[in-house]
Amino acid sequence: MKALLFSASLLAVVPPAFSATTNFDSDTVGQLPAGWTCGKTGKGHPHWTVETDSSAPSRPNVLKQAGTATFPWCVRNDIEGADGVVEVRFKPVSGKEDQAGGVVWRWKNSGNYYVARANALENNVSLYYTVDGSRKTIKYVPAPVTLHTWHTLRVTYKGDAIQVALDGKPYIDTRDTHIAGPGKAGVWTKADSVTLFDDFIYTAAAGQ
């Protein structure tokens, strides 16, 4: 009950001021999505492209990460919020080391941001902060994450309060102060994860 009350109170203090949705359907297949910057934290060669997929929640296009890197990320350039809500539909397709889909927020650069991810290989949801390129764990929670299935990952953040939900169910309610102030938001994977993303939604809190 306490966790549910905290979830409700956190949502209540994030009234919308600016909302942006990306479904990638107007982007060129085989290219990066317009208005996004894609890269990596660490080593490797990520491969981000817009592709067609008949299973997409909003057909026809999705954003696909099919390369291998320590932590591939792709962020929307026109987002600079400190507090808000970020949500995405994701489908883990394959990966021997990881089968992860995630979101980033308060993204300052390739080495400094928050990330929440769900992993079909481990069946869990986790929350991290990344500072100077080093990722640190805040919390892990067991959660059902199915390969070849579309899931919804949603993070609500206000000040030091963070809530992470998977498929509409809250899994993490916590507080952390490692990264403050405005930053971009986007999506994230790990290692050799091949992951599809669709219907990315960012909503900024009022006053930003």
Side-chain angles (χ1 to χ4, degrees):
M1 178 63 73
K2 184 178 180 180
L4 291 176
L5 289 174
F6 175 72
S7 301
S9 64
L10 178 55
L11 291 170
V13 296
V14 189
F18 167 79
S19 185
T21 301
T22 306
N23 59 23
F24 309 106
D25 293 339
S26 62
D27 290 296
T28 302
V29 172
Q31 303 295 320
L32 296 176
W36 290 63
T37 298
C38 302
K40 68 181 186 295
T41 302
K43 300 179 180 179
H45 303 281
H47 185 63
W48 293 95
T49 54
V50 174
E51 304 292 344
T52 59
D53 187 271
S54 60
S55 73
S58 57
R59 290 189 294 269
N61 291 353
V62 299
L63 177 61
K64 181 178 183 179
Q65 201 296 117
T68 299
T70 308
F71 304 122
W73 47 259
C74 195
V75 295
R76 183 163 163 160
N77 296 331
D78 61 351
I79 293 171
E80 286 290 345
D83 301 315
V85 181
V86 60
E87 176 181 311
V88 75
R89 302 290 302 276
F90 76 97
K91 178 181 177 180
V93 175
S94 65
K96 292 183 178 180
E97 184 177 344
D98 265 282
Q99 299 167 359
V103 294
V104 297
W105 66 99
R106 293 184 187 160
W107 186 97
K108 317 292 186 179
N109 52 48
S110 63
N112 296 274
Y113 53 84
Y114 278 112
V115 56
R117 72 103 172 97
N119 194 329
L121 195 62
E122 300 175 0
N123 274 304
N124 60 24
V125 170
S126 53
L127 174 65
Y128 309 92
Y129 68 91
T130 300
V131 173
D132 295 332
S134 178
R135 189 189 66 162
K136 304 296 183 182
T137 302
I138 299 172
K139 193 169 186 178
Y140 275 93
V141 177
V145 187
T146 306
L147 196 66
H148 303 300
T149 299
W150 285 98
H151 299 278
T152 301
L153 185 65
R154 177 184 175 95
V155 176
T156 304
Y157 50 102
K158 175 72 173 180
D160 64 354
I162 304 171
Q163 178 198 57
V164 183
L166 178 70
D167 295 331
K169 180 179 178 180
Y171 281 94
I172 296 175
D173 283 316
T174 191
R175 295 181 180 275
D176 188 84
T177 59
H178 284 93
I179 302 175
K184 301 185 190 304
V187 296
W188 179 100
T189 69
K190 182 186 175 186
D192 63 344
S193 301
V194 176
T195 309
L196 308 182
F197 297 92
D198 200 5
D199 298 336
F200 174 85
I201 303 172
Y202 169 76
T203 303
Q208 298 186 86

